[in-house]
Amino acid sequence: APWRSVLYPETWQPGYTRPGNASQFLHDFSYAGYRQRQAEPPVRMDRVLDVTQAPYFADNTGASDVTAVLQQAINDAGAVAGGGVVYLPRGTYQVAPPAGKAYALYIGKSNVVLRGQGATATFLYNSATNMRLKKVILAGPRESSVSWTSAATASVALTQDAANLATRIQVASVASYPVGTWLVVRADLTAARSEELNMGTTWTSLPGPSFYRRVVAVDAATRTLTLDIPLRQGLLMRDGARVYGIPAHLTEVGIEHLSIGMRENATPGTGEEDYSVPGKGAYEMHDAVAVRMSHVVDGWIRGVNSYRPPSNTRDVHLLSNGIDLDYSRNITVDSSQMEKPQYMGGGGNGYLYSIRGSDSLFKDSVAYGGRHNFDFRSMHTTGNVLFNNRASNGDKVSDFHMHLSAANLVDNTTLYLERFEAADRTPYGTVSHGVTTTQSVFWNTNGAKPPAYGGSSMVRSHQYGQGYVIGMRGSATTVDVAVTTKTAPADLAEVATSGNELVPQSLYVDQTQRRLGRAVEHDARALVYQAENLKPTSAGDLSSTNVETGAEMGGIRYHNTNAVGAKVTYTLMPRTVGTFAVRVLTKRNNGRGQYQLDVGGVAVGGTRDEYSSGTAYAEVELGTVTFTDLEPKLFTFTVVGKNAASAGYNVALDAIRLVRR
């Protein structure tokens, strides 16, 4: 029977606490994502700079280095009001960090989008093998970043303690903070606070909690500022609670529809601690990052994958790290896939998705084979949401890694040969990692297959104060909420009944709908596969990708054919066993053919006629499929004819959705 969490009744509102236990409550996570989910990242079609055309003429064969050419196009896009799109058509583009630079490509202005033609069409090949502390793509307002914990203006003290969940704070003066001002609200990690967190005095060298917020209302009479997003921890005057300004962040920056691969490093020496030994391969690969956004607000990364360059003799995609959001807020990472780092030693290497900012959304994405596939780090890491992702084949675990990254949500995450941890990591770290989170939520986790090491639990939740594991489903559902000295009391685990019946299926989806008054996200039961990200596996494939305004996420794949019998086959990885409705999203017009879908050789639905007198994006449900295992599944689209009124046989595939019944 359907069931609800004791923390989330039908009448839930922000601030609700469990009757009889006010320490147990759920944060409102609905602010996560681009523009706090009030809008989708745009598909810009204005001022597009094609780097293969004049004046750039970039080589897209991969034979020569085009770093300087691509950087010039990025600079040109950022030099005009409103920015522009730097477009890399189908092909391979070789780049490497120039001498003295910590990146190959740098986006330093707002409103700049770096776009490929699709993750299976445009390949950014980083040919440098000594990438220590370097990025393939860096987006940020300056080459040397300014932390949220370092003030650029004089601070103004709070005159009243700020409560957890607060959106209104009282300050000594509101004169410098009119509506629209961006500011940091923070406190110090004093000895008293470190003791309260059960960390003795070991954390006093760390900066305290900090929240990057925007002022949305000012009451001069009471000297009160209203903030756009609630605070995720209480801030005390005792700990120097204050506000101040820092330099402006970039906004409206996007990276989309391309794949990034790094040339492997052949230098010997890849031991756990070799990252600190000059001359070792690990030293040269240490903290090499595919994409880092630093001090960016309202940006996006979508349809960005890693890939294995043909030059690599090993099956590796990246030298070390994948996507890293550092001191950034309200970023959406959508339909991306990071895989197979070469170096996964100590010091922060092999992390595929590093979350070091606030209120960002990672959705419908995959991490495969990292040291830590998904990883929350540091005290300013709050309010983030992982929604409908898959973490697979991790070398260690996905985890809350260090220094109390409070109030984050892991929602409908699939774990395959993987576990997720929120544990006390006191023995690790130069400054003890300590208690890693509080008030974070594991919601409706899908345990697909346990890892072969480290015990049987799929979720291990030992959070400071209170934490929550609400709903488990799948074939592996063991949860560990054992009490430790620093994390008592035990976290709340509501897992006696299957998460398949949990209402709502997604906390993030429901909270977002409540706050905005409308649905802005797909049902959590849906597994979404964007066609432009799927590499066809059929012989003689004639498909191509394109970027178009009307397509979901802006990308689409065309099955180019002029005859009956043409086939395009995709390999899809299911995330759970069960029965699924198969829904296909296409672009119909007067030149389309008719297709038949089969899954593993079994027809699903009848013949679909894609003809339409005008252009229309349409989603149809073809039928159902049942998966009894998690092995790869072949989805084949075969052209079987055309409408008499149609001018052609083409099929334009936008996305495939598998909706769990």
Side-chain angles (χ1 to χ4, degrees):
W3 63 279
R4 300 188 72 98
S5 168
V6 296
L7 302 181
Y8 203 71
E10 290 186 272
T11 56
W12 181 88
Q13 293 182 344
Y16 175 87
T17 61
R18 183 179 183 181
N21 190 345
S23 67
Q24 293 185 337
F25 61 90
L26 299 178
H27 281 258
D28 183 355
F29 296 101
S30 67
Y31 297 89
Y34 173 82
R35 293 199 179 185
Q36 300 175 36
R37 294 303 276 129
Q38 297 178 75
E40 293 292 335
V43 180
R44 292 190 56 179
M45 303 304 289
D46 60 308
R47 196 164 186 270
V48 176
L49 306 180
D50 185 334
V51 300
T52 63
Q53 303 299 312
Y56 309 108
F57 299 112
D59 174 16
N60 64 348
T61 68
S64 59
D65 188 288
V66 294
T67 306
V69 173
L70 300 188
Q71 189 62 60
Q72 186 60 57
I74 292 171
N75 295 345
D76 291 346
V80 298
V85 178
V86 178
Y87 178 50
L88 282 59
R90 171 186 300 272
T92 298
Y93 298 83
Q94 183 188 149
V95 298
K101 300 296 184 182
Y103 50 79
L105 301 176
Y106 173 53
I107 302 173
K109 298 291 184 180
S110 295
N111 302 300
V112 173
V113 178
L114 181 63
R115 172 187 294 161
Q117 193 172 336
T120 61
T122 297
F123 301 94
L124 201 60
Y125 170 53
N126 185 82
S127 61
T129 59
N130 189 339
M131 287 288 291
R132 181 178 178 84
L133 303 175
K134 296 180 180 180
K135 284 70 65 177
V136 179
I137 303 173
L138 171 63
R142 58 189 54 78
E143 297 183 29
S144 58
S145 64
V146 175
S147 168
W148 292 353
T149 58
S150 176
T153 63
S155 63
V156 174
L158 269 64
T159 56
Q160 187 178 72
D161 292 344
N164 195 353
L165 307 180
T167 56
R168 291 166 56 85
I169 57 174
Q170 290 186 331
V171 295
S173 171
V174 298
S176 300
Y177 305 108
V179 171
T181 302
W182 287 91
L183 51 76
V184 172
V185 189
R186 66 160 294 194
D188 295 322
L189 225 169
T190 61
R193 183 57 179 153
S194 185
E195 290 279 4
E196 289 170 356
L197 296 174
N198 297 328
M199 294 304 300
T201 59
T202 60
W203 273 7
T204 54
S205 62
L206 297 174
S210 56
F211 305 96
Y212 190 53
R213 297 293 187 260
R214 196 171 193 179
V215 177
V216 295
V218 178
D219 186 331
T222 61
R223 298 192 301 277
T224 300
L225 303 176
T226 301
L227 310 176
D228 61 340
I229 298 178
L231 301 180
R232 305 300 185 176
Q233 289 191 57
L235 303 178
L236 303 181
M237 295 170 61
R238 177 202 69 183
D239 301 328
R242 60 199 182 274
V243 299
Y244 52 75
I246 63 174
H249 289 33
L250 295 190
T251 63
E252 301 295 329
V253 170
I255 302 167
E256 58 189 29
H257 303 305
L258 53 82
S259 286
I260 300 171
M262 299 185 188
R263 183 180 177 185
E264 66 188 1
N265 186 299
T267 306
T270 57
E272 179 76 5
E273 303 300 324
D274 284 347
Y275 69 91
S276 60
V277 182
K280 298 286 190 179
Y283 185 88
E284 297 178 354
M285 292 184 279
H286 172 59
D287 199 22
V289 180
V291 178
R292 175 170 290 161
M293 282 191 171
S294 181
H295 298 87
V296 177
V297 171
D298 294 331
W300 65 91
I301 299 169
R302 61 185 172 198
V304 174
N305 292 356
S306 63
Y307 82 101
R308 175 184 176 179
S311 62
N312 290 0
T313 60
R314 303 174 182 87
D315 186 17
V316 296
H317 293 194
L318 306 168
L319 291 178
S320 179
N321 298 327
I323 292 173
D324 182 8
L325 302 187
D326 185 28
Y327 290 108
S328 292
R329 202 194 91 161
N330 290 119
I331 309 299
T332 291
V333 179
D334 194 350
S335 299
S336 296
Q337 183 159 330
M338 293 285 114
E339 299 185 49
K340 301 177 181 177
Q342 181 179 348
Y343 182 57
M344 296 187 285
N349 290 286
Y351 297 14
L352 292 180
Y353 295 88
S354 290
I355 307 157
R356 300 191 289 169
S358 75
D359 303 285
S360 289
L361 170 66
F362 296 73
K363 58 173 288 195
D364 296 322
S365 294
V366 173
Y368 181 95
R371 178 185 175 101
H372 298 292
N373 280 327
F374 289 95
D375 185 82
F376 296 88
R377 294 193 267 173
S378 301
M379 205 164 288
H380 57 272
T381 302
T382 62
N384 300 285
V385 174
L386 304 184
F387 171 65
N388 218 35
N389 302 294
R390 175 178 175 174
S392 180
N393 297 74
D395 183 61
K396 302 295 185 185
V397 296
S398 289
D399 70 349
F400 292 83
H401 199 69
M402 59 195 290
H403 303 160
L404 204 73
S405 50
N408 296 281
L409 171 62
V410 180
D411 189 323
N412 277 271
T413 292
T414 292
L415 304 175
Y416 182 84
L417 293 174
E418 176 88 357
R419 70 167 43 83
F420 219 123
E421 292 190 351
D424 176 17
R425 304 190 73 245
T426 293
Y428 305 103
T430 304
V431 176
S432 174
H433 289 174
V435 289
T436 55
T437 190
T438 184
Q439 295 295 341
S440 288
V441 183
F442 294 94
W443 187 277
N444 206 1
T445 303
N446 175 34
K449 189 173 184 180
Y453 60 89
S456 60
S457 65
M458 299 301 292
V459 173
R460 182 176 176 227
S461 185
H462 303 169
Q463 301 186 38
Y464 170 81
Q466 290 289 168
Y468 314 100
V469 184
I470 300 172
M472 290 290 298
R473 56 186 171 84
S475 58
T477 58
T478 303
V479 170
D480 174 5
V481 289
V483 177
T484 69
T485 302
K486 294 181 179 179
T487 62
D491 293 343
L492 174 65
E494 295 180 291
V495 295
T497 306
S498 171
N500 286 321
E501 285 76 50
L502 176 61
V503 179
Q505 282 286 285
S506 165
L507 179 63
Y508 174 68
V509 170
D510 193 77
Q511 287 184 331
T512 305
Q513 186 165 355
R514 286 172 186 258
R515 181 171 65 86
L516 298 179
R518 67 184 191 279
V520 297
E521 189 57 83
H522 66 72
D523 190 298
R525 291 182 173 89
L527 306 180
V528 182
Y529 303 86
Q530 297 294 334
E532 67 274 14
N533 291 348
L534 298 172
K535 186 175 181 179
T537 56
S538 46
D541 165 55
L542 297 175
S543 69
S544 62
T545 59
N546 198 23
V547 177
E548 300 177 5
T549 304
E552 187 171 271
M553 269 187 41
I556 197 164
R557 180 177 293 279
Y558 288 95
H559 297 176
N560 304 309
T561 181
N562 57 9
V564 170
K567 300 177 184 291
V568 179
T569 300
Y570 304 99
T571 302
L572 271 58
M573 300 296 295
R575 298 180 193 167
T576 184
V577 297
T579 298
F580 297 83
V582 180
R583 298 177 182 173
V584 176
L585 178 62
T586 59
K587 177 185 177 183
R588 305 174 65 190
N589 67 17
N590 61 6
R592 298 288 185 257
Q594 300 166 333
Y595 73 84
Q596 168 72 61
L597 171 66
D598 73 74
V599 178
V602 178
V604 178
T607 298
R608 296 301 310 175
D609 191 345
E610 291 296 287
Y611 171 80
S612 173
S613 59
T615 299
Y617 290 87
E619 183 177 67
V620 296
E621 184 170 320
L622 301 182
T624 61
V625 293
T626 298
F627 300 144
T628 58
D629 57 51
L630 298 179
E631 296 303 311
K633 309 302 178 188
L634 298 180
F635 281 61
T636 299
F637 293 81
T638 302
V639 175
V640 295
K642 73 179 185 70
N643 190 291
S646 177
Y649 292 85
N650 195 301
V651 174
L653 183 61
D654 194 353
I656 301 170
R657 288 192 237 281
L658 304 180
V659 182
R660 183 164 42 91
R661 287 291 176 85

